Amino acid sequence: MTTSSKVLIVGSGPAGLTAAVYTARAQLEPIIIEGEPSSTSDQPGGQLMLTTEVENFPGFPDGIMGPELMIQMRAQAARFGADLRTEKVSRVDLSSRPFRAWVGDPEAAEPTYSAEALIIATGARALMLGVPGEDRLLGHGLSTCATCDGFFFREQRVVVVGGGDTAVEEAIFLTRFAASVTIIHRRDSLRASKIMQERAVENEKISFKWNTQVTEVIGGSKVEQLALIDTVTGETSTMDAEGVFVAIGHRPATDLFAGQLNLDENGYLAVHDGSRTTVDGVFACGDVQDHVYRQAITAAGSGCMAAIDAERWLEAQGL
Ligand code: NDP
């Protein structure tokens, strides 16, 4: 049995849930496929489920825990009648309208859902090192976002892992707070653009550890040390640090849409005129279409934009 709706939203981070609040209040009776619990960001609630305190979301002067913020957003969407489903989309077909989406067997003859408009809010995932201690200490001294968490590391020793523009940008930002910032890179030269490299080299708070990989993040309830290996000599060592920022890239969750929607030059969903994708009636919001800002508040804002765009588009179609 296929369930039909005017609007289907895929993803339940700040973007998807804000789109849900707006479309539900517009009486569009949206269905939201919120994902399934897992250890990565493609779980219900998205990346904020993996953070601890959020101090920069307006409206919470004392801060709020990331998971609590998502529980509140979800409750707000449900209050207006959004139909939230804890399941995962396995396939979509955007070649004709209504659009079709499958949950479970992607080869099933009947799709699970059909919808006139689709809002994609599948988010992105920070790439992780995959070393012992990393998962356990995420949110406890280990972070993937300096803008979000730099403030917590005033006068402390922090490390940034990576050699691209993100790593260098995060390192420079962190010098506002930290006593020292060490960039640990697996090779002996940065991938980051020349100008960013120059800024980092000129910054006296920043030092570099070249040809080095982190092999373990060590600590009890918080990050205390890193275990390192020299990629050239094989020599091992440890380094004391209170903070670690993993900045080795992000991966937007676009696999479902491969070959159906255009991507931008960074591999994120390409949008134009607000939240419109390259298929009429399909809208995108949040980190799946944003490699620049990556904030909960900008994701929420773009979720609002996608909801309004979808609502107006449906109206114009007479649907
Ligand atoms: P990049 O893919 O450019 O860089 C990732 C870095 O992480 C590389 O130095 C890579 O090493 C390293 N790395 C990857 N995997 C591992 C691993 N398992 N262990 C250790 N190190 C690892 O990602 P960014 O997020 O930095 O940038 C993405 C895009 O966004 C780029 O095009 C960038 O230019 C752009 N950007 C632009 C900014 C700006 O203009 N202000 C700011 C931020 C990003 P290696 O070099 O050896 O491959």
Side-chain angles (χ1 to χ4, degrees), residues 86-118:
T86 312
E87 52 194 23
K88 214 174 157 138
V89 174
S90 55
R91 177 185 157 209
V92 295
D93 183 348
L94 309 180
S95 60
S96 60
R97 290 206 304 265
F99 305 118
R100 300 181 298 159
W102 282 255
V103 165
D105 181 5
E107 304 305 327
E110 289 281 302
T112 322
Y113 297 101
S114 75
E116 300 298 340
L118 179 69

mmCIF file of all heavy atoms in Angstrom, residues 86-118:
data_model
loop_
_atom_site.group_PDB
_atom_site.id
_atom_site.type_symbol
_atom_site.label_atom_id
_atom_site.label_comp_id
_atom_site.label_asym_id
_atom_site.label_seq_id
_atom_site.Cartn_x
_atom_site.Cartn_y
_atom_site.Cartn_z
ATOM 1 N N THR A 86 9.791 6.836 11.994
ATOM 2 C CA THR A 86 11.168 6.426 12.299
ATOM 3 C C THR A 86 11.590 5.311 11.350
ATOM 4 O O THR A 86 11.515 4.127 11.684
ATOM 5 C CB THR A 86 11.275 5.974 13.772
ATOM 6 O OG1 THR A 86 10.648 6.967 14.575
ATOM 7 C CG2 THR A 86 12.718 5.804 14.200
ATOM 8 N N GLU A 87 11.953 5.680 10.181
ATOM 9 C CA GLU A 87 12.385 4.703 9.168
ATOM 10 C C GLU A 87 13.299 5.410 8.189
ATOM 11 O O GLU A 87 13.471 6.627 8.244
ATOM 12 C CB GLU A 87 11.163 4.078 8.485
ATOM 13 C CG GLU A 87 10.191 5.088 7.947
ATOM 14 C CD GLU A 87 8.838 4.483 7.575
ATOM 15 O OE1 GLU A 87 8.481 3.420 8.097
ATOM 16 O OE2 GLU A 87 8.155 5.098 6.746
ATOM 17 N N LYS A 88 13.860 4.634 7.295
ATOM 18 C CA LYS A 88 14.895 5.152 6.409
ATOM 19 C C LYS A 88 14.484 4.957 4.955
ATOM 20 O O LYS A 88 14.030 3.873 4.586
ATOM 21 C CB LYS A 88 16.173 4.356 6.696
ATOM 22 C CG LYS A 88 17.414 5.134 6.559
ATOM 23 C CD LYS A 88 18.598 4.320 7.005
ATOM 24 C CE LYS A 88 19.789 4.926 6.319
ATOM 25 N NZ LYS A 88 20.934 5.065 7.085
ATOM 26 N N VAL A 89 14.654 5.964 4.139
ATOM 27 C CA VAL A 89 14.339 5.843 2.714
ATOM 28 C C VAL A 89 15.465 5.059 2.036
ATOM 29 O O VAL A 89 16.644 5.347 2.247
ATOM 30 C CB VAL A 89 14.184 7.241 2.069
ATOM 31 C CG1 VAL A 89 14.006 7.124 0.563
ATOM 32 C CG2 VAL A 89 13.013 7.986 2.688
ATOM 33 N N SER A 90 15.080 4.063 1.228
ATOM 34 C CA SER A 90 16.098 3.260 0.550
ATOM 35 C C SER A 90 16.236 3.642 -0.924
ATOM 36 O O SER A 90 17.242 3.336 -1.560
ATOM 37 C CB SER A 90 15.750 1.774 0.660
ATOM 38 O OG SER A 90 14.445 1.546 0.170
ATOM 39 N N ARG A 91 15.201 4.303 -1.455
ATOM 40 C CA ARG A 91 15.263 4.672 -2.884
ATOM 41 C C ARG A 91 14.231 5.752 -3.170
ATOM 42 O O ARG A 91 13.160 5.763 -2.531
ATOM 43 C CB ARG A 91 14.943 3.436 -3.719
ATOM 44 C CG ARG A 91 14.893 3.667 -5.215
ATOM 45 C CD ARG A 91 14.448 2.392 -5.937
ATOM 46 N NE ARG A 91 13.895 2.684 -7.230
ATOM 47 C CZ ARG A 91 12.978 1.969 -7.853
ATOM 48 N NH1 ARG A 91 12.486 0.877 -7.283
ATOM 49 N NH2 ARG A 91 12.532 2.310 -9.039
ATOM 50 N N VAL A 92 14.549 6.654 -4.072
ATOM 51 C CA VAL A 92 13.534 7.609 -4.543
ATOM 52 C C VAL A 92 13.514 7.595 -6.062
ATOM 53 O O VAL A 92 14.522 7.293 -6.705
ATOM 54 C CB VAL A 92 13.807 9.062 -4.056
ATOM 55 C CG1 VAL A 92 13.692 9.188 -2.549
ATOM 56 C CG2 VAL A 92 15.142 9.582 -4.555
ATOM 57 N N ASP A 93 12.353 7.920 -6.623
ATOM 58 C CA ASP A 93 12.232 8.076 -8.069
ATOM 59 C C ASP A 93 11.634 9.458 -8.320
ATOM 60 O O ASP A 93 10.471 9.711 -8.002
ATOM 61 C CB ASP A 93 11.331 6.980 -8.646
ATOM 62 C CG ASP A 93 11.236 7.077 -10.168
ATOM 63 O OD1 ASP A 93 11.682 8.116 -10.727
ATOM 64 O OD2 ASP A 93 10.708 6.149 -10.803
ATOM 65 N N LEU A 94 12.469 10.336 -8.868
ATOM 66 C CA LEU A 94 12.049 11.722 -9.083
ATOM 67 C C LEU A 94 11.784 11.979 -10.561
ATOM 68 O O LEU A 94 11.693 13.131 -10.993
ATOM 69 C CB LEU A 94 13.153 12.681 -8.583
ATOM 70 C CG LEU A 94 13.678 12.431 -7.167
ATOM 71 C CD1 LEU A 94 14.764 13.435 -6.809
ATOM 72 C CD2 LEU A 94 12.539 12.505 -6.163
ATOM 73 N N SER A 95 11.638 10.896 -11.364
ATOM 74 C CA SER A 95 11.533 11.077 -12.817
ATOM 75 C C SER A 95 10.158 11.558 -13.245
ATOM 76 O O SER A 95 9.992 12.062 -14.354
ATOM 77 C CB SER A 95 11.888 9.768 -13.535
ATOM 78 O OG SER A 95 10.994 8.749 -13.132
ATOM 79 N N SER A 96 9.157 11.370 -12.398
ATOM 80 C CA SER A 96 7.825 11.893 -12.746
ATOM 81 C C SER A 96 7.083 12.217 -11.458
ATOM 82 O O SER A 96 7.502 11.807 -10.373
ATOM 83 C CB SER A 96 7.042 10.846 -13.552
ATOM 84 O OG SER A 96 6.895 9.665 -12.786
ATOM 85 N N ARG A 97 5.990 12.956 -11.570
ATOM 86 C CA ARG A 97 5.206 13.305 -10.390
ATOM 87 C C ARG A 97 3.909 12.510 -10.372
ATOM 88 O O ARG A 97 3.360 12.255 -11.436
ATOM 89 C CB ARG A 97 4.902 14.807 -10.401
ATOM 90 C CG ARG A 97 6.132 15.644 -10.157
ATOM 91 C CD ARG A 97 5.778 16.993 -9.557
ATOM 92 N NE ARG A 97 4.839 17.748 -10.356
ATOM 93 C CZ ARG A 97 5.187 18.670 -11.259
ATOM 94 N NH1 ARG A 97 6.447 18.949 -11.452
ATOM 95 N NH2 ARG A 97 4.272 19.306 -11.948
ATOM 96 N N PRO A 98 3.387 12.142 -9.207
ATOM 97 C CA PRO A 98 4.010 12.393 -7.906
ATOM 98 C C PRO A 98 5.322 11.627 -7.745
ATOM 99 O O PRO A 98 5.501 10.556 -8.313
ATOM 100 C CB PRO A 98 2.950 11.899 -6.909
ATOM 101 C CG PRO A 98 2.115 10.922 -7.671
ATOM 102 C CD PRO A 98 2.109 11.393 -9.086
ATOM 103 N N PHE A 99 6.224 12.219 -6.958
ATOM 104 C CA PHE A 99 7.504 11.569 -6.680
ATOM 105 C C PHE A 99 7.262 10.330 -5.829
ATOM 106 O O PHE A 99 6.283 10.262 -5.092
ATOM 107 C CB PHE A 99 8.435 12.542 -5.942
ATOM 108 C CG PHE A 99 8.639 13.827 -6.673
ATOM 109 C CD1 PHE A 99 8.252 15.033 -6.118
ATOM 110 C CD2 PHE A 99 9.198 13.828 -7.947
ATOM 111 C CE1 PHE A 99 8.421 16.224 -6.808
ATOM 112 C CE2 PHE A 99 9.373 15.014 -8.655
ATOM 113 C CZ PHE A 99 8.978 16.221 -8.075
ATOM 114 N N ARG A 100 8.150 9.374 -5.931
ATOM 115 C CA ARG A 100 7.953 8.122 -5.188
ATOM 116 C C ARG A 100 9.157 7.819 -4.300
ATOM 117 O O ARG A 100 10.297 8.127 -4.666
ATOM 118 C CB ARG A 100 7.717 6.975 -6.179
ATOM 119 C CG ARG A 100 6.466 7.232 -7.034
ATOM 120 C CD ARG A 100 6.186 6.120 -7.991
ATOM 121 N NE ARG A 100 7.254 5.919 -8.952
ATOM 122 C CZ ARG A 100 7.448 4.798 -9.630
ATOM 123 N NH1 ARG A 100 6.656 3.751 -9.447
ATOM 124 N NH2 ARG A 100 8.437 4.684 -10.483
ATOM 125 N N ALA A 101 8.875 7.230 -3.156
ATOM 126 C CA ALA A 101 9.953 6.884 -2.217
ATOM 127 C C ALA A 101 9.691 5.513 -1.625
ATOM 128 O O ALA A 101 8.541 5.162 -1.330
ATOM 129 C CB ALA A 101 10.042 7.928 -1.105
ATOM 130 N N TRP A 102 10.755 4.758 -1.469
ATOM 131 C CA TRP A 102 10.673 3.404 -0.909
ATOM 132 C C TRP A 102 11.352 3.356 0.467
ATOM 133 O O TRP A 102 12.399 3.985 0.661
ATOM 134 C CB TRP A 102 11.384 2.397 -1.805
ATOM 135 C CG TRP A 102 10.635 1.981 -3.018
ATOM 136 C CD1 TRP A 102 9.995 0.795 -3.218
ATOM 137 C CD2 TRP A 102 10.484 2.731 -4.245
ATOM 138 N NE1 TRP A 102 9.433 0.760 -4.480
ATOM 139 C CE2 TRP A 102 9.712 1.929 -5.127
ATOM 140 C CE3 TRP A 102 10.882 3.993 -4.676
ATOM 141 C CZ2 TRP A 102 9.361 2.369 -6.410
ATOM 142 C CZ3 TRP A 102 10.526 4.421 -5.941
ATOM 143 C CH2 TRP A 102 9.781 3.613 -6.796
ATOM 144 N N VAL A 103 10.743 2.599 1.358
ATOM 145 C CA VAL A 103 11.368 2.268 2.638
ATOM 146 C C VAL A 103 11.514 0.750 2.630
ATOM 147 O O VAL A 103 10.605 0.052 2.177
ATOM 148 C CB VAL A 103 10.472 2.739 3.811
ATOM 149 C CG1 VAL A 103 10.912 2.101 5.122
ATOM 150 C CG2 VAL A 103 10.501 4.258 3.929
ATOM 151 N N GLY A 104 12.632 0.238 3.095
ATOM 152 C CA GLY A 104 12.834 -1.216 3.041
ATOM 153 C C GLY A 104 13.303 -1.619 1.657
ATOM 154 O O GLY A 104 14.178 -0.956 1.085
ATOM 155 N N ASP A 105 12.710 -2.689 1.111
ATOM 156 C CA ASP A 105 13.159 -3.245 -0.177
ATOM 157 C C ASP A 105 13.086 -2.204 -1.303
ATOM 158 O O ASP A 105 11.994 -1.821 -1.723
ATOM 159 C CB ASP A 105 12.283 -4.458 -0.523
ATOM 160 C CG ASP A 105 12.718 -5.097 -1.833
ATOM 161 O OD1 ASP A 105 13.741 -4.664 -2.407
ATOM 162 O OD2 ASP A 105 12.007 -6.027 -2.287
ATOM 163 N N PRO A 106 14.240 -1.764 -1.811
ATOM 164 C CA PRO A 106 14.220 -0.736 -2.854
ATOM 165 C C PRO A 106 13.688 -1.250 -4.197
ATOM 166 O O PRO A 106 13.369 -0.459 -5.080
ATOM 167 C CB PRO A 106 15.692 -0.314 -2.962
ATOM 168 C CG PRO A 106 16.473 -1.457 -2.422
ATOM 169 C CD PRO A 106 15.615 -2.153 -1.421
ATOM 170 N N GLU A 107 13.606 -2.579 -4.324
ATOM 171 C CA GLU A 107 13.130 -3.157 -5.586
ATOM 172 C C GLU A 107 11.635 -3.466 -5.552
ATOM 173 O O GLU A 107 11.074 -3.956 -6.544
ATOM 174 C CB GLU A 107 13.894 -4.458 -5.892
ATOM 175 C CG GLU A 107 15.410 -4.328 -5.947
ATOM 176 C CD GLU A 107 15.870 -3.263 -6.942
ATOM 177 O OE1 GLU A 107 15.183 -3.093 -7.968
ATOM 178 O OE2 GLU A 107 16.878 -2.613 -6.677
ATOM 179 N N ALA A 108 10.983 -3.203 -4.429
ATOM 180 C CA ALA A 108 9.551 -3.512 -4.322
ATOM 181 C C ALA A 108 8.777 -2.793 -5.428
ATOM 182 O O ALA A 108 9.101 -1.646 -5.778
ATOM 183 C CB ALA A 108 9.034 -3.086 -2.949
ATOM 184 N N ALA A 109 7.788 -3.470 -5.980
ATOM 185 C CA ALA A 109 7.039 -2.887 -7.095
ATOM 186 C C ALA A 109 6.305 -1.613 -6.663
ATOM 187 O O ALA A 109 6.295 -0.612 -7.382
ATOM 188 C CB ALA A 109 6.047 -3.920 -7.631
ATOM 189 N N GLU A 110 5.700 -1.684 -5.492
ATOM 190 C CA GLU A 110 4.942 -0.546 -4.982
ATOM 191 C C GLU A 110 5.828 0.345 -4.127
ATOM 192 O O GLU A 110 6.469 -0.149 -3.191
ATOM 193 C CB GLU A 110 3.802 -1.037 -4.085
ATOM 194 C CG GLU A 110 2.671 -1.721 -4.814
ATOM 195 C CD GLU A 110 1.747 -0.699 -5.453
ATOM 196 O OE1 GLU A 110 1.214 0.145 -4.727
ATOM 197 O OE2 GLU A 110 1.601 -0.752 -6.691
ATOM 198 N N PRO A 111 5.878 1.657 -4.369
ATOM 199 C CA PRO A 111 6.634 2.513 -3.456
ATOM 200 C C PRO A 111 5.910 2.621 -2.112
ATOM 201 O O PRO A 111 4.695 2.377 -2.040
ATOM 202 C CB PRO A 111 6.643 3.865 -4.166
ATOM 203 C CG PRO A 111 5.424 3.847 -5.034
ATOM 204 C CD PRO A 111 5.209 2.415 -5.429
ATOM 205 N N THR A 112 6.633 2.974 -1.077
ATOM 206 C CA THR A 112 6.011 3.145 0.241
ATOM 207 C C THR A 112 5.257 4.468 0.301
ATOM 208 O O THR A 112 4.203 4.568 0.925
ATOM 209 C CB THR A 112 7.098 3.121 1.350
ATOM 210 O OG1 THR A 112 8.085 2.143 1.006
ATOM 211 C CG2 THR A 112 6.510 2.800 2.709
ATOM 212 N N TYR A 113 5.832 5.478 -0.351
ATOM 213 C CA TYR A 113 5.217 6.816 -0.309
ATOM 214 C C TYR A 113 5.170 7.421 -1.707
ATOM 215 O O TYR A 113 6.030 7.149 -2.537
ATOM 216 C CB TYR A 113 6.052 7.760 0.573
ATOM 217 C CG TYR A 113 6.104 7.320 2.012
ATOM 218 C CD1 TYR A 113 7.221 6.646 2.508
ATOM 219 C CD2 TYR A 113 5.037 7.559 2.867
ATOM 220 C CE1 TYR A 113 7.267 6.227 3.835
ATOM 221 C CE2 TYR A 113 5.070 7.143 4.191
ATOM 222 C CZ TYR A 113 6.183 6.477 4.661
ATOM 223 O OH TYR A 113 6.217 6.055 5.957
ATOM 224 N N SER A 114 4.159 8.261 -1.915
ATOM 225 C CA SER A 114 4.188 9.128 -3.088
ATOM 226 C C SER A 114 3.821 10.527 -2.611
ATOM 227 O O SER A 114 3.059 10.686 -1.649
ATOM 228 C CB SER A 114 3.224 8.634 -4.170
ATOM 229 O OG SER A 114 1.902 8.922 -3.818
ATOM 230 N N ALA A 115 4.430 11.536 -3.236
ATOM 231 C CA ALA A 115 4.213 12.909 -2.768
ATOM 232 C C ALA A 115 4.310 13.875 -3.939
ATOM 233 O O ALA A 115 5.086 13.665 -4.871
ATOM 234 C CB ALA A 115 5.244 13.263 -1.708
ATOM 235 N N GLU A 116 3.527 14.934 -3.850
ATOM 236 C CA GLU A 116 3.563 15.956 -4.911
ATOM 237 C C GLU A 116 4.848 16.782 -4.808
ATOM 238 O O GLU A 116 5.431 17.141 -5.820
ATOM 239 C CB GLU A 116 2.349 16.891 -4.781
ATOM 240 C CG GLU A 116 0.999 16.192 -4.890
ATOM 241 C CD GLU A 116 0.788 15.529 -6.250
ATOM 242 O OE1 GLU A 116 1.483 15.902 -7.217
ATOM 243 O OE2 GLU A 116 -0.064 14.626 -6.328
ATOM 244 N N ALA A 117 5.227 17.097 -3.576
ATOM 245 C CA ALA A 117 6.465 17.878 -3.368
ATOM 246 C C ALA A 117 7.372 17.128 -2.406
ATOM 247 O O ALA A 117 6.891 16.455 -1.489
ATOM 248 C CB ALA A 117 6.137 19.261 -2.798
ATOM 249 N N LEU A 118 8.663 17.242 -2.642
ATOM 250 C CA LEU A 118 9.638 16.564 -1.789
ATOM 251 C C LEU A 118 10.607 17.598 -1.222
ATOM 252 O O LEU A 118 11.111 18.455 -1.963
ATOM 253 C CB LEU A 118 10.426 15.533 -2.619
ATOM 254 C CG LEU A 118 11.513 14.749 -1.883
ATOM 255 C CD1 LEU A 118 10.905 13.785 -0.866
ATOM 256 C CD2 LEU A 118 12.381 13.972 -2.880
#
